[in-house]
Amino acid sequence: MHVSPVVFCERTGGWAAAWRRVETRLAARENRRPLSPRLIETRSPTECREVVASRRASFVVAELAAPFAEQTFDLLFDLATDAPEASAAVVAEREMLPYEELARELGAQAFVVSPFGLEALRRLALRHLGRPAPESVDVRQRIWEALPWS
């Protein structure tokens, strides 16, 4: 069984680096192990989908940038429909603020436009990753257990 990771989907890695700095500082203050070993960086929505397919309860942080906005919106939609156990958040430059409402409608739990917002995003990720994993029971077993004579 895989431990659910934080998955960054961004072109450059700048947001993930900022996340690591925040995570290291706060983990030391809270006397807890950093989430960084569970951080996976991807460079495309396709690569991100592959990671989430094998780790369904991931916390995805997707970058919203002007030339690739449509791909990010497609990723958010796909995560909401294909991986409902996952949670997603968006990081972006301030110029992308007009797209916050659309991102949230597509399933983004948060919309961060500054590295200062990563602390709140980290708390959201910790809550998500701390949830118990849903049990995977096949359909026949669920039906059998629901029958009165099972």
Side-chain angles (χ1 to χ4, degrees):
M1 181 176 143
H2 296 285
V3 175
S4 298
V6 174
V7 181
F8 271 80
C9 180
E10 61 174 327
R11 303 254 178 224
T12 63
W15 284 100
W19 172 279
R20 281 190 175 95
R21 285 190 299 273
V22 167
E23 174 62 24
T24 302
R25 179 175 45 84
L26 293 177
R29 183 188 315 158
E30 297 168 356
N31 200 20
R32 134 193 320 244
R33 289 182 52 202
L35 288 175
S36 296
R38 293 193 288 171
L39 187 134
I40 298 172
E41 292 186 55
T42 63
R43 297 293 178 242
S44 71
T46 302
E47 187 181 354
C48 182
R49 285 181 188 91
E50 290 170 3
V51 170
V52 173
S54 65
R55 295 169 177 92
R56 307 284 295 177
S58 299
F59 186 84
V60 177
V61 180
E63 179 183 37
L64 180 63
F68 310 105
E70 188 174 337
Q71 292 176 355
T72 302
F73 292 138
D74 287 344
L75 174 64
L76 291 172
F77 178 80
D78 291 346
L79 289 174
T81 56
D82 299 338
E85 305 91 356
S87 273
V90 171
V91 291
E93 297 298 321
R94 286 194 192 284
E95 65 194 27
M96 301 305 286
L97 261 174
Y99 296 101
E100 179 177 6
E101 189 175 330
L102 177 58
R104 288 186 181 273
E105 285 181 22
L106 291 170
Q109 301 294 313
F111 195 94
V112 174
V113 294
S114 166
F116 295 112
L118 290 177
E119 239 180 89
L121 191 58
R122 176 184 171 269
R123 286 192 300 273
L124 188 63
L126 284 171
R127 264 196 316 272
H128 173 77
L129 298 175
R131 294 184 319 187
E135 293 182 33
S136 62
V137 178
D138 71 6
V139 174
R140 282 184 275 162
Q141 185 175 355
R142 273 191 290 155
I143 293 171
W144 180 254
E145 289 173 359
L147 294 172
W149 58 82
S150 65

